[in-house]
Amino acid sequence: MMNKTSLIAIALLVFMGFFPLFVDSAWLAVGTTFLVFAVVALSQDIILGRAGVFHMGHAVFFGLGAYTTAILNVNFGLPILATWAPAVLIPMLVAFIMVAPIIHLRGDYLLVATIGFNIIFIQVLENDVFGLTGGPNGLFGIDVVRLFGYDFSSQTHMYYMAFILLGLTLLIMRNLDKSKFGRAMFYIHKDEIAAQSMGINVRYFKLYAFILGAGIAGAAGSMFSVQYSAVSPEAFNVTQSIMFFTIVLVGGSASLPGVLIGTFIMFVLPEMFREFETARYLVFGIAMILTMILRPRGIWPVRFGNIPDFLKKGVK
Amino acid sequence: MSDYLLEISHVSKYFQGLVAINDLSMKVKKGQIYGIIGPNGAGKTTLFNCITGIYRPEIGQILWKGKDIKGSHPHKIAELGILRTFQTIRLFSEMSVAENIMSGRHIKSKQRWYNGVIPTPAYYKDEKENWEKVGELMDFFHLSEYATTPAGDLSYGIQRRIEMARALAAEPELLILDEPAAGLNENETLELTQTIRKIQAMGVTIMMIEHDMEMVMSLCEYITVINFGAKISEGVPSFVQDDPVVIEAYIGSDEDDDDE
Ligand SMILES: Nc1ncnc2c1ncn2[C@@H]1O[C@H](COP(=O)(O)OP(=O)(O)OP(=O)(O)O)[C@@H](O)[C@H]1O
Ligand SMILES: [Mg+2]
C-alpha cells in the first residue's frame, strides 16, 4: 500500500521529470541549481539531521568535489567522466582525515572546528596552492560530459544529469534509513549514552555519516563545476556552509521532504523574487527566525515509526 | 576459570575528592538475581556506571569471565553481553516503540558497511530476522499495540517495559536493572516481578538496584548493601534483612535527609 508521503514524492518526481519541457533556459538553470543544491543539502542532512553532528563546513566537501573535477579536467586534461570517481573519493578521504581527530568533540566545539576547516579550505584555494586551484579567480573552461561521441552539453542535459543524481541520493538515503547504519545515527542523535549502552560505536557511526555525506556532496560539486564550466572559491565559503546547515534545520532535520522544501525556500524563492533585490534577504532572515520559533523541528518534521507492516498488526 | 560471571574487586571511584565508591568487592554467579541496595546517594548507580563503562573507576578490577573490562568503552561492554536499563529512563523518545527495541538488535545485526547504502539478499534476511525478534519482544512485554507510538508519549510504567525490552533484545548474558520498579504502581510491580523471573528462566543473569524491599527480598538470591560507597553487609535476603548494620544505615540515612 502507498502512503501519502510516497504519493507526494512520486508526484514531485514526475513534475521534476517533465519540468524542462515547460520552461525557458533561465528557469532550467534555476531548476538544475535546485537539484544540485538539494543533493548537497541532503548530504548535509546525513551528518546534521541524522547523526546529529553540528557540522558547519559542508561547503568544503562540495568544493572538493567541484575542484577535483575542475583540476583534473582543466590542468590534466582528463575527461569529465574520469573525474567522477575521484570527485567522490577525495572528499570522503578528506572527511576521514579531517574529522577523525575531532569527532569526539561536543556539539558546539565541533561546530567551531568545522568552520575552521572551511576557512582553511578557502585560504588554500585562494592562495593557488601547487598552482592548481587558480587562486581567487578559480578555474574555468571546464569541459562537458562526453560519452561515445555524444556531448551532453545543453542545459537540458545538465538538468537531467542532476535529476538522476538527486534520484540516486534519495535512493541511498532511503536505504540508509532502513538499515542498521541509519538507525544507529538516529539513536546516537537522540541519546548518545543510551546508544552506547546498546553497543553502538558512536565514533564509527558519526564518521560513517561524515564520509557518506562528503562523498555525496563531492558528486554534487563535480556536477556543479560542469554546469557552470567554472569554479571559484566564494561558492564554497562559510556562508555557503551556513546555508546548507540552515536548509536542514528550517526544512526539517532527517526529513527528506523537509530538506527539499528547505532547498526550495533558500535557493529557488530568491530567484523568483529577483525584482525585490536585497530586500528579499530581509524576508528570509525573518522567515528563518519565525520557523525556529514556531516550528522548531522544521517546516516538514521527520516522522518516525517506519517499521515493517507485520509489526503494525497489534496497533489499535 | 572461576564460576563467577562478574567479579568486582576492590573498586573505588572518586568525583573531585568525593568518594562515590570505596573499595567495593562482590561476585555475581551465573544465573543469579543479585540485588544491590542502600540509601540514596550510596553509590549504587555509580557502580553500575563503572560496570557498563560510562565511568572508569580509579582503583580496582572489574572481571567479566575472568577478564578485566575496567575502562572499556560502553559499546564494547554491551558487545560482551552486559546490557542495562537506566534509573532515569533513557529512551529515544521521539522514535517509535518498535524502533527503540530495534536498537537492542544492533549488536546482533550482521549487516555489512555497504548495507547502509546498498541492500543485498543477506541484508534483507538480517533485517527481517531482527524485526521479527522485535515483534517477539513486543509480545512478551505487551507492547504490540504501541509499536508505532513514540516512546516518549507513553506512561512511565510502559516506558520501563520498553527499556527492558530494548536491553533484552540484545540477548544479554547479564542484565543490569537500575531501580526497575521506581514509579510503578502495585500491579505493575507485581507484573515486573514475574517478568524478571521469566527473564531469569531464560538463562539471563540479573543485577538490580531497587528500593522496593519487598520485591528485592522476594526476587534476589544474594544482596550487597552499600552505604557511602562502601559495602556494609552482604548475604542472602533473610540475613541482610535482619542485619543490625543495615537497619542502622537506613535509619541513619533518614536522619541525614532530615538535616538537609
Ligand atoms: N557524575 C558525577 N559527578 C559528581 N558526583 C557524582 C556523579 N555521579 C554521582 N555522583 C555522586 O556520587 C554519589 C553516589 O551517587 P549515585 O547516583 O551512585 O547514588 P545511588 O546510590 O544510585 O543513589 P539513588 O538511590 O538516589 O539513586 C552521590 O553523592 C552523587 O552525588
Ligand atoms: Mg541511583
Side-chain angles (χ1 to χ4, degrees):
Chain A
M1 212 186 76
M2 214 54 114
N3 60 30
K4 211 173 79 188
T5 317
S6 337
L7 279 178
I8 295 172
I10 287 167
L12 185 77
L13 279 180
V14 170
F15 172 76
M16 295 300 297
F18 287 106
F19 179 75
L21 305 181
F22 307 119
V23 295
D24 61 19
S25 71
W27 276 107
L28 201 53
V30 172
T32 309
T33 307
F34 166 76
L35 295 171
V36 170
F37 281 143
V39 172
V40 186
L42 287 167
S43 65
Q44 163 98 55
D45 185 47
I46 295 175
I47 303 164
L48 172 63
R50 279 145 222 275
V53 181
F54 283 3
H55 160 48
M56 210 180 261
H58 207 51
V60 172
F61 305 134
F62 183 42
L64 276 169
Y67 267 90
T68 300
T69 287
I71 290 170
L72 291 178
N73 178 250
V74 175
N75 296 338
F76 297 99
L78 256 68
I80 298 298
L81 270 181
T83 72
W84 279 2
V88 171
L89 293 175
I90 289 175
M92 290 171 98
L93 184 69
V94 172
F96 176 74
I97 295 168
M98 168 178 130
V99 179
I102 59 163
I103 197 74
H104 63 281
L105 293 180
R106 221 181 61 195
D108 39 3
Y109 302 138
L110 192 128
L111 184 105
V112 172
T114 52
I115 293 174
F117 281 123
N118 207 150
I119 292 170
I120 293 168
F121 178 64
I122 295 300
Q123 285 305 306
V124 169
L125 295 182
E126 288 188 343
N127 284 294
D128 200 6
V129 174
F130 307 124
L132 289 174
T133 66
N137 296 326
L139 294 166
F140 24 88
I142 297 167
D143 200 5
V144 295
V145 176
R146 296 172 201 281
L147 185 65
F148 307 128
Y150 291 100
D151 293 354
F152 295 91
S153 54
S154 74
Q155 270 298 333
T156 314
H157 286 137
M158 301 289 172
Y159 180 90
Y160 280 113
M161 282 192 286
F163 184 67
I164 291 167
L165 181 64
L166 177 65
L168 274 176
T169 305
L170 289 171
L171 190 68
I172 286 174
M173 296 190 70
R174 187 187 145 277
N175 292 345
L176 181 67
D177 281 351
K178 284 179 178 280
S179 77
K180 154 183 180 171
F181 297 84
R183 282 191 299 266
M185 288 173 200
F186 281 127
Y187 299 139
I188 291 168
H189 186 173
K190 299 304 166 195
D191 190 330
E192 200 164 309
I193 301 248
Q196 284 181 344
S197 301
M198 301 318 295
I200 293 168
N201 183 344
V202 171
R203 206 183 137 78
Y204 177 91
F205 287 96
K206 281 185 178 174
L207 269 176
Y208 190 102
F210 258 104
I211 291 169
L212 180 59
I216 295 173
S222 176
M223 198 140 284
F224 185 78
S225 71
V226 173
Q227 186 198 349
Y228 290 98
S229 71
V231 289
S232 57
E234 74 273 4
F236 312 108
N237 60 19
V238 177
T239 312
Q240 284 300 314
S241 290
I242 294 173
M243 283 295 250
F244 295 130
F245 192 96
T246 310
I247 288 174
V248 171
L249 290 194
V250 167
S253 287
S255 154
L256 299 182
V259 174
L260 294 181
I261 291 170
T263 311
F264 181 83
I265 292 175
M266 302 303 275
F267 284 110
V268 182
L269 281 191
E271 295 301 321
M272 293 167 93
F273 293 101
R274 268 202 179 281
E275 62 263 41
F276 297 107
E277 300 286 325
T278 47
R280 62 200 158 131
Y281 289 111
L282 191 67
V283 178
F284 287 123
I286 293 169
M288 277 156 67
I289 296 165
L290 283 182
T291 313
M292 286 300 99
I293 295 171
L294 301 174
R295 291 187 76 82
R297 297 180 59 226
I299 293 170
W300 185 313
V302 59
R303 282 194 51 210
F304 290 103
N306 200 351
I307 62 172
D309 282 337
F310 74 90
L311 290 176
K312 296 179 186 166
K313 283 195 310 275
V315 177
K316 291 188 180 110
Chain B
M1 211 167 111
S2 68
D3 7 321
Y4 296 104
L5 198 57
L6 183 75
E7 283 176 81
I8 291 159
S9 141
H10 302 288
V11 164
S12 297
K13 171 77 202 160
Y14 308 103
F15 292 115
Q16 296 104 16
L18 173 96
V19 187
I21 299 183
N22 188 2
D23 195 32
L24 199 62
S25 298
M26 64 184 74
K27 294 175 174 187
V28 182
K29 271 191 196 145
K30 191 166 169 52
Q32 247 178 355
I33 301 184
Y34 196 109
I36 315 274
I37 62 170
N40 292 117
K44 305 179 296 296
T45 299
T46 305
L47 172 67
F48 277 9
N49 283 336
C50 289
I51 298 172
T52 55
I54 310 262
Y55 298 147
R56 183 180 205 284
E58 280 77 14
I59 302 173
Q61 285 187 312
I62 299 174
L63 301 177
W64 172 254
K65 297 176 178 174
K67 252 188 73 187
D68 196 359
I69 57 166
K70 185 182 76 171
S72 292
H73 272 290
H75 76 264
K76 291 273 182 208
I77 308 249
E79 281 171 5
L80 291 173
I82 305 176
L83 273 291
R84 69 173 298 175
T85 66
F86 294 88
Q87 181 173 352
T88 45
I89 296 175
R90 298 192 87 117
L91 288 169
F92 311 110
S93 50
E94 288 168 58
M95 301 177 80
S96 69
V97 171
E99 286 165 307
N100 268 274
I101 300 172
M102 189 64 164
S103 69
R105 296 304 296 165
H106 181 88
I107 56 176
K108 293 287 163 187
S109 166
K110 293 185 191 68
Q111 294 176 27
R112 306 295 307 275
W113 63 270
Y114 47 80
N115 289 141
V117 182
I118 307 161
T120 55
Y123 153 86
Y124 285 112
K125 184 164 167 282
D126 177 79
E127 191 76 356
K128 183 158 168 284
E129 281 170 2
N130 287 314
W131 281 119
E132 275 167 3
K133 188 81 189 169
V134 169
E136 285 169 26
L137 280 156
M138 287 198 297
D139 287 343
F140 182 78
F141 284 94
H142 309 294
L143 292 166
S144 303
E145 59 179 301
Y146 310 116
T148 53
T149 313
D153 292 358
L154 293 162
S155 77
Y156 205 77
I158 297 173
Q159 291 198 24
R160 286 237 176 260
R161 291 202 321 253
I162 302 168
E163 246 204 353
M164 278 180 80
R166 179 177 73 176
L168 217 54
E171 299 174 33
E173 274 190 75
L174 175 66
L175 178 63
I176 295 185
L177 305 172
D178 195 345
E179 303 198 18
L184 301 194
N185 64 34
E186 223 169 294
N187 270 334
E188 288 172 325
T189 307
L190 221 65
E191 206 181 320
L192 174 68
T193 309
Q194 284 162 2
T195 306
I196 292 176
R197 284 225 171 82
K198 281 189 214 160
I199 294 172
Q200 182 192 27
M202 296 172 192
V204 180
T205 308
I206 295 165
M207 268 180 108
M208 61 188 276
I209 296 171
E210 190 43 68
H211 284 297
D212 184 328
M213 284 308 144
E214 208 179 315
M215 183 176 163
V216 172
M217 295 304 162
S218 79
L219 268 178
C220 298
E221 287 145 44
Y222 204 86
I223 294 169
T224 289
V225 191
I226 308 178
N227 198 12
F228 299 112
K231 175 159 66 184
I232 57 165
S233 177
E234 68 175 338
V236 295
S238 56
F239 171 79
V240 166
Q241 212 162 9
D242 298 330
D243 189 345
V245 191
V246 177
I247 297 164
E248 170 67 27
Y250 271 88
I251 298 166
S253 84
D254 281 352
E255 280 172 6
D256 284 352
D257 285 351
D258 292 342
D259 291 345
E260 284 167 8

